[in-house]
Amino acid sequence: MKREHAPHLGRHADVRDRIVQAAVELYCEIGHNKTTVADVARRLSMSSANIYRFFPSKRAIEEAVVERLLDEMVGAAADAARGGGPALGRIAAVLKAMADCNESRPAKHRRLQDLVALAVRQNWPVVLVYSDRLRGLVRPMIGAGQARGEVQGGSPMALTCCLLDAMDIHLNPSRMGAATLRPSFEEMSKFCMGALSRMPSRQPVEMTSQVHLKAAG
């Protein structure tokens, strides 16, 4: 029975992907607030009724768009996590991969970034799943670092949450572009890796540049 339905499921997934891609293009061009389901349908030369066969509402399309973008971030983080070397270096690489995704999106897709920021601020279910996946990626690396004597003791989950909260200004899509005083990613990462280290340096973290005001663009 499953084999008989497999081609149908494949076509269904393909149409959903096309709808999401069309929505992404329109959100980039005119913003998610101005984009209607009818706009998406016209972009694909199909009826609005056909769109509703795959997504029950405009909000469902928006959630699928946000999910795709967050999946890209988690994918970049997972790729970075597969690298070799000490645990703290791998963790820093994961955070950098995610920060790079956030930093590049506003410049390329300012209007699309607005939708992602809205989803984060309102705690959409796809955002909560993303947060769980990120914690699930970092926590084992902290645990492995503890087992090798690289990372200080304590609950791996507690340390994971502390780390992600500390780096939130660089990892949270809803905070990108906001006017705020903050250290650079490199400065904040160096500080956090030093705090996680089992034998933290006695030397103070050297700030290579003064904390500066990031103005909204």
Side-chain angles (χ1 to χ4, degrees):
M1 180 67 68
K2 289 184 179 179
R3 287 181 180 175
E4 295 175 4
H5 288 286
H8 171 72
L9 292 175
R11 289 193 297 271
H12 187 277
D14 179 64
V15 174
R16 281 181 60 91
D17 286 345
R18 289 173 53 211
I19 292 171
V20 172
Q21 181 57 38
V24 168
E25 294 170 1
L26 287 165
Y27 294 168
C28 290
E29 294 169 11
I30 62 176
H32 70 96
N33 285 325
K34 294 182 179 180
T35 299
T36 66
V37 172
D39 292 329
V40 176
R42 279 193 294 271
R43 177 61 61 96
L44 295 170
S45 299
M46 63 174 60
S47 67
S48 295
N50 203 23
I51 298 290
Y52 285 119
R53 289 178 54 206
F54 299 90
F55 293 94
S57 64
K58 177 185 174 183
R59 170 65 179 266
I61 298 175
E62 292 174 343
E63 289 182 348
V65 169
V66 172
E67 182 178 27
R68 173 184 286 191
L69 296 172
L70 296 181
D71 279 347
E72 291 174 359
M73 292 181 64
V74 173
D79 287 343
R82 284 191 280 271
L88 291 178
R90 293 170 59 218
I91 293 171
V94 165
L95 300 179
K96 184 65 167 62
M98 299 189 63
D100 286 347
C101 287
N102 269 334
E103 290 286 354
S104 64
R105 188 178 302 117
K108 295 180 180 178
H109 307 302
R110 177 73 65 178
R111 293 187 177 96
L112 192 60
Q113 174 69 12
D114 292 340
L115 175 61
V116 179
L118 175 66
V120 172
R121 288 195 300 270
Q122 295 184 351
N123 288 320
W124 289 9
V126 292
V127 174
L128 300 179
V129 170
Y130 155 77
S131 298
D132 284 342
R133 291 175 66 190
L134 181 56
R135 286 190 291 267
L137 181 65
V138 174
R139 185 192 59 77
M141 293 196 299
I142 287 181
Q146 289 175 324
R148 291 195 294 265
E150 301 171 15
V151 177
Q152 65 166 288
S155 163
M157 181 56 77
L159 292 177
T160 297
C161 292
C162 288
L163 171 64
L164 297 180
D165 281 351
M167 296 296 300
D168 188 67
I169 190 65
H170 293 287
L171 305 181
N172 188 334
S174 70
R175 301 181 69 180
M176 299 308 299
T180 181
L181 287 168
R182 65 175 181 177
S184 68
F185 173 85
E186 289 73 20
E187 290 164 345
M188 197 64 202
S189 178
K190 183 176 181 180
F191 176 83
C192 289
M193 295 309 107
L196 284 174
S197 176
R198 185 177 181 85
M199 298 181 64
S201 171
R202 294 179 180 273
Q203 299 297 322
V205 175
E206 178 183 354
M207 293 298 183
T208 58
S209 62
Q210 292 185 350
V211 173
H212 53 284
L213 180 65
K214 297 286 287 186

